[in-house]
Amino acid sequence: MSTTIGLDSKKLEPVAAGLNQYLADLGVLYIKIHNLHWNVEGPQFFQLHEKLEEFYDQTAEQLDDVAERILTIGFRPAASLKEYLNVAKIKELDSKPFGRDEVLKEVTQDFTYMLAESRKVLSQAEEADDQGTVDLMAGFISGYEKTLWMLRAFNS
Ligand SMILES: [Fe+2]
């Protein structure tokens, strides 16, 4: 069946599922980055505290963009922390002090995962001729790639 945006809704089902998985990961990541932002300690506190704020702001924007994309293609976004925790593969951390190395390790690992997930959703969207989602994911991919380069540069 064709949607109001001219795409095949049957073909969009796996895209919506992929986007909902992505949304759940962003929901958990948003809180997790706050944890790191609050609990980071050490000589680079100010730099890392500020950078982590930038990261959770970006994550919040992505969360909203992904949820609205799901609605745009005719599906319903998951919208509760309970659902996010059930589905997300991002692992939360306890509230405790984090040193610089641990912060860098956690964000590098999670952004690497989100990058791989972005590529996965992009491929699913290509299969459904859903260029809007392809475009959204392409933007996220170049963003994560750039952030990962900066994290490597900061860490060397
Ligand atoms: Fe803050």
Side-chain angles (χ1 to χ4, degrees):
M1 206 185 90
S2 169
T3 61
T4 51
I5 56 169
L7 295 173
D8 182 332
S9 57
K10 195 82 202 146
K11 280 166 104 183
L12 285 172
E13 277 172 18
V15 180
L19 285 169
N20 256 317
Q21 167 73 53
Y22 199 92
L23 185 68
D25 281 313
L26 288 173
V28 174
L29 187 59
Y30 178 70
I31 300 299
K32 180 175 178 176
I33 298 173
H34 274 83
N35 183 356
L36 298 170
H37 167 77
W38 293 324
N39 284 312
V40 63
E41 291 184 356
Q44 286 171 321
F45 170 82
F46 285 109
Q47 258 174 299
L48 287 167
H49 180 72
E50 204 179 312
K51 185 50 75 178
L52 289 160
E53 180 169 341
E54 217 178 275
F55 288 159
Y56 70 63
D57 282 343
Q58 283 166 9
T59 304
E61 271 176 46
Q62 290 181 326
L63 183 86
D64 191 46
D65 286 346
V66 170
E68 290 177 359
R69 184 67 201 163
I70 294 169
L71 287 155
T72 300
I73 65 171
F75 293 81
R76 191 66 57 187
S80 72
L81 294 175
K82 198 173 153 192
E83 286 172 275
Y84 294 167
L85 282 169
N86 274 338
V87 173
K89 302 229 170 69
I90 296 276
K91 292 270 164 281
E92 294 192 289
L93 296 167
D94 293 335
S95 184
K96 63 175 186 67
F98 296 105
R100 169 196 194 275
D101 289 353
E102 205 172 357
V103 167
L104 292 176
K105 191 195 94 199
E106 289 295 330
V107 291
T108 300
Q109 164 202 294
D110 291 343
F111 290 163
T112 302
Y113 165 76
M114 291 309 298
L115 174 61
E117 287 296 293
S118 313
R119 294 199 176 114
K120 214 190 276 177
V121 176
L122 186 145
S123 298
Q124 290 167 328
E126 272 175 343
E127 294 284 310
D129 301 315
D130 173 5
Q131 292 90 355
T133 300
V134 168
D135 180 61
L136 183 68
M137 288 296 137
F140 292 168
I141 288 168
S142 54
Y144 282 123
E145 286 171 343
K146 186 172 183 179
T147 302
L148 286 165
W149 153 59
M150 289 183 173
L151 288 168
R152 279 198 308 277
F154 187 62
N155 207 18
S156 54

